[in-house]
Amino acid sequence: MKTIIKNVNIITMDNNMTEYKNGFVIIEDENISYIGNMAELKEDESAIIIDGNNGILMPGMINTHTHLSMIPFRSLGDDCKDRLRRYLFPLENECMNEKLAYYSAKYAICEMLLSGVTTIMDMYYFEDEVAKASEEMGIRAFLGETVINFPTCDSKDAFGGLDYSINFIEKWKNHKLITPFIAPHAPNTNDTNSLVKANEISKKYNVPISMHLSEMDYELKYFKDEFNKTPVEYLESIGLLSDRLVAAHCIYLTDNDINLLQKYNVKVAHCIGSNTKSAKGVAPVNKLLQHNIPVGLGTDGASSGNTLDIITQFKLFANFHKLENKDRSIFPAKDIVKLGTISGAKVLNKDNEIGSIEVGKKADLVIIETNSVNMFPIFDSYSAIVYSANTSNVDTVFVNGKCVVKNKKPVNNDLQTIREELKNHMQQFEQKAKEQLKKAIL
Ligand SMILES: [Zn+2]
């Protein structure tokens, strides 16, 4: 099948940051087969034509850290202290189940696709359900089952995620759009044995390993008291640092930590919205990039950052990092768009397939329309995306050559139906959540 997207301002995000001011792209089956200027476009009756109406065509955005099935938690106890341990963990254990994980994931994926996110890295529970939801919705997904040191909503035993992951990886490892991986929750919510085992599984199957790292003040204190090390130094001492590791957050890093991340080619998922809302801090992204450490953007779950789109992260990233560095010229918009596209692809070791608009790459593409009131005038496409645009400007989305969003609506799904299905499975959750909320506030 052939599709031509025409009349678009293309930002390719390739190595030369090539742009086509009035261009077109040809998609054949799953791949991009041609990129050119409109003057070269020949009529082709066999192709489906999509007129971009002078919108911006960009690579699909990549969300390198999220928890899809946490949708029911959105806006709940947003302003409570130490919400994770006092509140989210107990509620999760009591109310999260297979069906809720599945319908929540479907809803979250719909939200992501509508916002131009075409690839996600998700870690949570019931990942087999999340994989089914991802397959049905047609998103590109890296999915990892959580390994943690207590019994959970989908495991009677502590560290049940280890066995789950072996079956899960075996089941999904050859899927076209789904890459299974293993996800120890964090260094301080595991023990040395479980971390080493998780790493062995990652190595054996050659799949990524991802965890929260250097995110919590009590995490730092624990490793200082127990091992006289930082969390990163501890992971190095047990052989966990490698180019398969995607470390989420990395807020509190010493210079030695950064050197270690570089030495072992570790990747970082930076979640500026989640980290600043929880008043934790701003990760040293400038230093990480100076050390050539690949950094992608992540939203974290809907309970942490509330939105699941990368366009919101672009804005938050610009504002916080400019303020933090007291320099309005640091991180120009072009560099910020890189973090959400090609750099995110490098974090996932998939930059040979996705992250930029290049012939031979997978057709993961987004048209940002420029007719809305907030999109005029435009002097620079990157600035327009980072500072002017919001998710309502996402008009058309392709994943792997398939159109999944058109005219701002899901192509094969109905958002209202997906919402109703989720709502029907949220009744017990809502009741318990209200009880927990009262306790948390007291
Ligand atoms: Zn997280």
Side-chain angles (χ1 to χ4, degrees):
M1 201 176 79
K2 191 192 266 191
T3 305
I4 299 175
I5 302 176
K6 67 175 190 177
N7 291 324
V8 276
N9 182 358
I10 306 168
I11 54 167
T12 64
M13 309 309 291
D14 67 9
N15 277 341
N16 302 317
M17 299 295 279
T18 311
E19 288 180 56
Y20 296 81
K21 289 292 176 200
N22 186 21
F24 70 97
V25 162
I26 302 178
I27 302 168
E28 284 186 74
D29 299 322
E30 297 173 0
N31 299 314
I32 297 163
S33 65
Y34 195 85
I35 309 160
N37 289 309
M38 280 305 288
E40 313 168 38
L41 180 60
K42 296 183 191 85
E43 266 192 38
D44 185 342
E45 285 182 358
S46 69
I48 297 167
I49 308 289
I50 292 183
D51 192 330
N53 289 313
N54 299 315
I56 302 166
L57 185 75
M58 67 181 294
M61 286 168 270
I62 298 173
N63 186 341
T64 56
H65 181 71
T66 190
H67 312 288
L68 294 172
S69 301
M70 291 190 83
I71 285 284
F73 293 85
R74 171 150 55 195
S75 89
L76 181 67
D78 268 337
D79 305 318
C80 292
K81 278 187 194 291
D82 196 12
R83 202 171 46 139
L84 182 69
R85 291 185 301 186
R86 284 174 64 196
Y87 187 43
L88 295 189
F89 278 162
L91 194 55
E92 206 161 59
N93 279 2
E94 210 170 337
C95 299
M96 187 50 68
N97 57 48
E98 258 181 32
K99 286 266 181 271
L100 188 55
Y102 168 78
Y103 287 111
S104 301
K106 255 183 114 166
Y107 188 95
I109 293 166
C110 193
E111 183 176 344
M112 300 248 192
L113 292 173
L114 286 168
S115 75
V117 170
T118 54
T119 299
I120 51 158
M121 184 170 228
D122 174 80
M123 52 190 274
Y124 200 57
Y125 302 105
F126 302 108
E127 284 295 309
D128 199 48
E129 298 299 316
V130 179
K132 285 180 205 161
S134 302
E135 187 177 48
E136 284 171 37
M137 300 294 291
I139 199 164
R140 198 179 294 283
F142 287 65
L143 307 174
E145 175 75 11
T146 297
V147 180
I148 199 162
N149 60 359
F150 52 76
T152 66
C153 49
D154 70 349
S155 168
K156 294 193 302 296
D157 306 312
F159 309 116
L162 288 167
D163 284 340
Y164 188 110
S165 293
I166 294 171
N167 294 328
F168 179 67
I169 293 167
E170 285 282 0
K171 182 172 172 186
W172 294 96
K173 65 183 178 185
N174 295 320
H175 195 278
K176 199 192 287 182
L177 292 183
I178 292 168
T179 306
F181 69 93
I182 189 158
H185 178 266
N188 59 306
T189 50
N190 273 270
D191 59 23
T192 303
N193 188 36
S194 63
L195 289 168
V196 168
K197 276 191 181 158
N199 194 38
E200 280 167 3
I201 293 168
S202 154
K203 203 170 180 178
K204 178 178 169 194
Y205 290 100
N206 193 26
V207 294
I209 176 168
S210 187
M211 72 178 88
H212 302 95
L213 180 60
S214 294
E215 180 195 6
M216 303 293 190
D217 48 6
Y218 52 77
E219 174 192 352
L220 263 73
K221 184 175 178 330
Y222 171 77
F223 286 103
K224 177 79 183 149
D225 293 349
E226 288 288 314
F227 302 98
N228 196 27
K229 290 184 193 307
T230 67
V232 174
E233 288 166 355
Y234 163 74
L235 287 187
E236 193 216 10
S237 72
I238 61 168
L240 261 279
L241 299 186
S242 77
D243 66 349
R244 297 185 315 282
L245 177 62
V246 178
H249 304 301
C250 293
I251 303 167
Y252 309 111
L253 297 176
T254 63
D255 285 346
N256 187 48
D257 289 342
I258 294 174
N259 288 334
L260 289 173
L261 296 180
Q262 180 183 27
K263 179 177 169 191
Y264 291 95
N265 199 16
V266 175
K267 322 295 196 297
V268 173
H270 173 54
C271 305
I272 188 69
S274 163
N275 297 165
T276 52
K277 181 183 166 215
S278 57
K280 290 187 185 115
V282 176
V285 173
N286 196 29
K287 275 191 187 172
L288 292 171
L289 294 178
Q290 282 165 0
H291 284 73
N292 294 318
I293 295 166
V295 177
L297 299 179
T299 57
D300 220 344
S303 70
S304 304
N306 301 57
T307 61
L308 299 176
D309 66 281
I310 292 300
I311 294 175
T312 301
Q313 302 305 311
F314 285 156
K315 266 186 234 342
L316 292 168
F317 184 95
N319 289 7
F320 277 105
H321 283 273
K322 283 170 193 285
L323 181 63
E324 183 83 356
N325 288 280
K326 297 276 182 289
D327 179 359
R328 72 172 292 144
S329 71
I330 198 168
F331 290 116
K334 198 179 259 191
D335 291 356
I336 297 175
V337 177
K338 259 189 202 172
L339 295 173
T341 54
I342 188 65
S343 193
K346 286 180 183 157
V347 167
L348 302 176
N349 272 330
K350 277 279 178 194
D351 50 311
N352 57 340
E353 286 184 28
I354 56 171
S356 60
I357 302 177
E358 293 180 71
V359 170
K361 279 200 169 181
K362 299 296 177 196
D364 289 7
L365 302 165
V366 174
I367 301 175
I368 308 279
E369 55 84 7
T370 52
N371 294 322
S372 288
V373 66
N374 60 316
M375 295 298 277
F376 176 83
I378 294 176
F379 294 102
D380 178 284
S381 296
Y382 307 98
S383 284
I385 292 168
V386 171
Y387 299 111
S388 307
N390 58 56
T391 55
S392 75
N393 301 122
V394 173
D395 183 85
T396 302
V397 180
F398 279 80
V399 179
N400 211 43
K402 247 180 98 175
C403 187
V404 289
V405 173
K406 201 173 176 193
N407 298 327
K408 307 189 178 185
K409 292 205 164 54
V411 172
N412 293 319
N413 295 282
D414 173 53
L415 177 58
Q416 204 52 39
T417 309
I418 292 174
R419 183 185 287 205
E420 284 302 316
E421 284 170 341
L422 173 57
K423 214 167 176 288
N424 291 340
H425 287 84
M426 268 182 64
Q427 285 164 9
Q428 191 215 358
F429 182 91
E430 277 178 323
Q431 181 58 33
K432 292 281 176 194
K434 282 176 192 159
E435 288 167 22
Q436 289 276 1
L437 186 60
K438 272 188 203 153
K439 276 192 236 161
I441 286 172
L442 291 170

